[in-house]
Amino acid sequence: MITGAHPAVAYKILTGEQFERLLADGAFKGAPVDLADGYIHMSAADQVQATLDKHFAGQENLRIVAVDLTVFGDGVKWEVSRGGALFPHLYGDLPLSGVLSHAPVERDRSGSVQLPG
């Protein structure tokens, strides 16, 4: 459940193919790990860098989508995951209408990931 303690925006990292599917289908049903776990894994802004480094190292043609969590109500649950931190999990499809913005994965000079504006 979303409370005032949690941000209203989360981020999902997609491969280029997954992003194209989101655009073509109007919704993203999940990556293989999402389908296996029964929810779409997302990250808060301060978790994106570690998620990218851990799960997408060496991959190219990646996109980050900013997701408006307020439109999903109880469909988003903040649950304990990596290192005991709470991560946003979307129980259901991610419709394109829930995407606020998107951008290719890019890093600044220090190597930090730039989030879509």
Side-chain angles (χ1 to χ4, degrees):
M1 182 187 237
I2 299 173
T3 67
H6 299 295
V9 176
Y11 298 89
K12 177 65 179 168
I13 301 168
L14 300 173
T15 65
E17 180 183 320
Q18 291 166 346
F19 181 71
E20 291 301 322
R21 196 173 330 131
L22 168 65
L23 295 179
D25 297 346
F28 177 66
K29 297 190 177 298
V33 68
D34 300 325
L35 297 172
D37 289 346
Y39 53 84
I40 295 178
H41 293 262
M42 294 185 291
S43 299
D46 63 345
Q47 298 167 329
V48 172
Q49 181 86 43
T51 298
L52 185 65
D53 293 345
K54 179 177 174 98
H55 298 289
F56 297 90
Q59 295 186 43
E60 296 182 8
N61 192 26
L62 298 173
R63 305 279 304 188
I64 299 177
V65 297
V67 179
D68 179 0
L69 299 182
T70 65
V71 302
F72 299 105
D74 290 339
V76 173
K77 298 188 185 323
W78 288 81
E79 298 174 314
V80 176
S81 190
R82 183 175 65 233
L86 293 176
F87 279 76
H89 296 152
L90 175 59
Y91 286 82
D93 295 350
L94 171 58
L96 189 56
S97 62
V99 173
L100 296 169
S101 59
H102 56 84
V105 170
E106 294 181 358
R107 296 178 187 260
D108 63 19
R109 290 181 195 216
S110 71
S112 297
V113 172
Q114 300 299 294
L115 298 176

